[in-house]
Amino acid sequence: MKFTKTFLDGVILIEPDVYEDQRGFFNETYQKKRYEDEGIFDDFVQDNHSISVEGTLRGLHYQLPNPQGKLVRVISGEIFDVIVDIRESSSTFGQWCGVNLSSNNMKQIWIPPGFAHGFLALSSKAEVLYKTTDHRHKENEKTIIWNDKDISIEWPATKKVIVSEKDQKGVAFKKAQYFK
């Protein structure tokens, strides 16, 4: 496995070793010791699975209190995954990072607590799995509007963008609650 730190402190892109032959492939998607060796010590308490049609944009989500770390991967299709630093004390506060995750590249992204997260489905269907370090607390869910002018995320072009009613009501970054 290859672990690559991004410019957002704590966010790590993970490229698993894939063993492929005429039968198919095998890869190890998580191994506690290996992740700890790379500085990821968090315990996972919940697994989530979503399916999105092309153009679906989910996010930018986070929880306060009870922030969640997330280990995200795609098992079918492709997404553009976005992470926004909402840690007030961070030197990269308000900055974002985007990566393509797909069933072809099998990459994962580790997002520690203190970040807002979202993604755009780029394929006709995208299946996303992610582990979280805290349970979902519906009453603590927060959303920053996906097209906030201050963050200026460069989302890839798609035929259309499908955003839930909840996500359309996301707040501007300047009005969001931040991670202390």
Side-chain angles (χ1 to χ4, degrees):
M1 272 188 179
K2 180 180 176 188
F3 292 77
T4 306
K5 295 179 180 181
T6 69
F7 74 94
L8 296 175
D9 186 36
V11 177
I12 301 171
L13 185 64
I14 303 157
E15 298 176 66
D17 296 325
V18 180
Y19 304 97
E20 199 166 359
D21 62 24
Q22 72 277 6
R23 300 169 297 160
F25 76 88
F26 169 84
N27 85 38
E28 188 176 88
T29 61
Y30 177 75
Q31 197 244 59
K32 187 175 176 88
K33 177 155 179 16
R34 185 168 291 160
Y35 281 61
E36 286 176 348
D37 289 347
E38 297 297 328
I40 302 170
F41 295 96
D42 301 75
D43 288 323
F44 298 107
V45 298
Q46 182 174 312
D47 282 355
N48 298 322
H49 184 175
S50 74
I51 295 178
S52 301
V53 298
E54 183 176 2
T56 297
L57 195 146
R58 298 182 186 267
L60 302 162
H61 302 145
Y62 63 104
Q63 286 188 167
L64 280 180
N66 308 104
Q68 295 175 310
K70 296 177 181 176
L71 180 61
V72 182
R73 67 188 180 103
V74 172
I75 62 168
S76 176
E78 181 175 12
I79 65 171
F80 181 67
D81 200 78
V82 171
I83 305 99
V84 178
D85 191 343
I86 60 169
R87 302 169 299 170
E88 282 187 301
S89 62
S90 171
S91 64
T92 56
F93 175 70
Q95 295 182 38
W96 66 276
C97 172
V99 296
N100 283 67
L101 303 178
S102 73
S103 54
N104 288 335
N105 70 24
M106 297 189 201
K107 293 178 181 177
Q108 302 175 18
I109 192 85
W110 162 245
I111 307 162
F115 293 85
H117 174 250
F119 66 84
L120 174 65
L122 300 177
S123 53
S124 61
K125 181 178 97 172
E127 261 185 279
V128 179
L129 296 179
Y130 58 100
K131 298 178 166 307
T132 64
T133 60
D134 201 340
H135 300 282
R136 177 179 181 236
H137 297 272
K138 188 174 178 149
E139 69 280 6
N140 297 331
E141 291 177 345
K142 312 280 185 244
T143 303
I144 297 170
I145 191 73
W146 65 276
N147 58 355
D148 183 90
K149 304 257 186 281
D150 291 314
I151 302 172
S152 297
I153 296 169
E154 297 171 19
W155 297 99
T158 59
K159 295 175 194 164
K160 62 181 176 176
V161 176
I162 305 165
V163 181
S164 73
E165 187 176 322
K166 173 188 157 194
D167 288 354
Q168 288 176 23
K169 294 177 182 177
V171 301
F173 180 76
K174 286 182 177 176
K175 294 184 178 184
Q177 288 181 300
Y178 307 126
F179 187 79
K180 305 281 182 205

